Amino acid sequence: MTENPQQTLLRVFGYKSFRQPQEEIIEGLIAGRDVFVIMPTGGGKSLCYQIPALHRAGVAIVVSPLISLMKDQVDALQANGVRAECYNSSLTEAKARQVLAQLHDGTLDLLYVAPERLMSDAFLERLQDMAIALFAIDEAHCVSQWGHDFRPEYVQLGRLRQLFPRIPLIALTATADSQTRQDIIERLGLQKAACYVAGFDRPNIRYLVTEKHKPFDQLRMFLSSRQPGEPGIVYALSRKRVEEVAARLVQSGIAAAPYHAGLADRERSQVQEAFQKDELQVVVATVAFGMGIDKSNIRYVVHYDLPKNIESYYQETGRAGRDGLPAEALLLFGYGDIAIARGLIENGTNEEQKRIELHKLNAMVGFAEAVTCRRRVLLGYFGASLDHDCGNCDVCLDPPERYDATVEAQKALSCVYRVGQRFGMGHVIDVLRGADNQRIRSLGHDRLSTYGIGRDMSADLWGSIIRQLVHLGYLEQDLASYSVLKLTTAARGLLRGEERLVLARPRHKQVPAKKVGRDKVERPRDEGLFQALRALRKRLADEAGVPPFVVFSDATLTEMAAARPVDAEGLLAVSGVGVHKLGRYGEEFLTVLQEYAAGIAPASA
Ligand code: ADP
Ligand code: ZN
């Protein structure tokens, strides 16, 4: 091949430049070296082996655990004119025979195979006398028991390195922790591989954390601040909650559906497919949803409940904005959730496991409570630090105001003391605010010296103060017994007036979506034109029986709507338009662009 990787990137995929380590990885593989790539979801792992597949002689064998993922990748490659197929249990017998024939004729650039198929004796036999460009092992953490998704059928892949000593092997994963990474290297025999950790920062995702008070209203507010039809995922902890939130969204006129492990396979794949095809706007899901989806235009991920650890949180939020356009990750953080999560962990039997999980939960809580840049906290956790504040998280955009809260803290602490350190936050606040209810009267708490001393402030404000006192170690919350508040020894100095205390003022307003933009990723776009292009994309995708993003990504349509090309050359200059897609779709998109410019409304949107 006379083309260089950069030229292939432009001609086939329509992209102008590589992302950070892609080029080096690609060159290494083409030169025949093993590579280990750790990049978060959406980082751009696929190109790392797809381009070498086109540059090395023979077929590239790609191992992937999920049939739906394989299909999407193959659809996307075929749409770019690449000769890719998959070989798995979903094929009809005739189709399987055809794929094998192509494999033997040497007319395939890439073949996606399920691990158990690849490692069967019959298949390995076939590969023996065949030109193989490389092996790519996607979702490589599935080989490790330390990982979060161990698959026994992956273990066999450890033999590849010995069976095909001269063929380069690339393993890819989004996993973060070093124990799993080490395990992957050992099990796949990648000791000599060059290792790349990259792309953990996703600057286009805006991280937002809001205190949870009325979660459904908060969710609805958030959705109503967005453009109509923008797709997103809402994660909730239990099946019951998933069902409930989805039903309420449907009632409010939003195309939403639930997704959890309790649904029949068929139902689940229907939801997944409708979402891929942009027919469903919101999927409300437990963590079960996401592994099998490769949708690049997810505009937001909302965590309705507190995730169990930062790894899952980051992986789930990472499903937003894979096309590089602005996206948002909203976490509704409720203190009640901590107790629930802790309870679930403590139900476990393995002590060591419990210790690890509690530690991870604490890190998650620490993130949610942070009053420093969220992205710094996240990247720090993954060992990829950031040396500046990100400017695209709620803390950066709306820094909490600080004030001297010594007097308020003293009132709260003495009230906890007066009620005998036997009550939770709600009751303490009631006493502070002088609530007149039967419970207070029957306990005689309306005669306490602290009764009503905090009337001048809202219950929310008192809640925020008490929580901060907990985080700062002046109060402790007995999670085993109804979250009863107790003073710690640290409270003494504060109560005696020996020290002063500065707290952050709570921020109840949500940072409005897209208020402060990062001009790097935000381009003005003509919404009408964008919608017209989107309608065309949907029609073409349906005709071809593929998800819309296989035709063009949202990023490509956005750029098209902003650049408004008038000819093939102009269209080719748009990122994501390669030579093949130009030939296949160019004319129809140019027609819509021309009609729109001439003021002709699209035939049907
Ligand atoms: P991963 O497999 O790491 O989750 P993908 O390989 O699916 O991520 O890439 C995510 C998105 O980024 C895809 O839409 C892909 O086409 C796009 N992408 C990858 N590399 C580039 C690049 N160099 N320039 C522009 N877009 C890219
Ligand atoms: Zn920030």
Side-chain angles (χ1 to χ4, degrees), residues 5-6 8-9 13 18 26 30 46-56:
Q6 173 89 43
T8 309
L9 179 73
F13 298 93
F18 283 112
I26 288 168
I30 293 177
S46 328
L47 286 183
C48 295
Y49 56 84
Q50 289 169 347
I51 290 184
L54 300 174
H55 278 257
R56 283 179 62 90

Side-chain angles (χ1 to χ4, degrees), residues 9 15 17-19 22 39-47 73 294 296 322-323 553 575:
L9 179 73
Y15 297 139
S17 54
F18 283 112
R19 289 183 186 158
Q22 279 176 335
M39 266 188 207
T41 309
K45 288 188 285 296
S46 328
L47 286 183
Q73 293 257 1
D294 187 7
S296 66
R322 294 176 61 167
D323 51 16
S553 70
S575 177

Side-chain angles (χ1 to χ4, degrees), residues 46 154 203 234 421 444 540 569:
S46 328
Y154 256 63
V234 177
Q421 311 193 59
L540 295 172
E569 201 187 331

Side-chain angles (χ1 to χ4, degrees), residues 373-375 389-393 396:
C373 171
R374 305 274 178 210
R375 202 174 310 266
D389 285 354
C390 77
N392 197 26
C393 72
C396 285

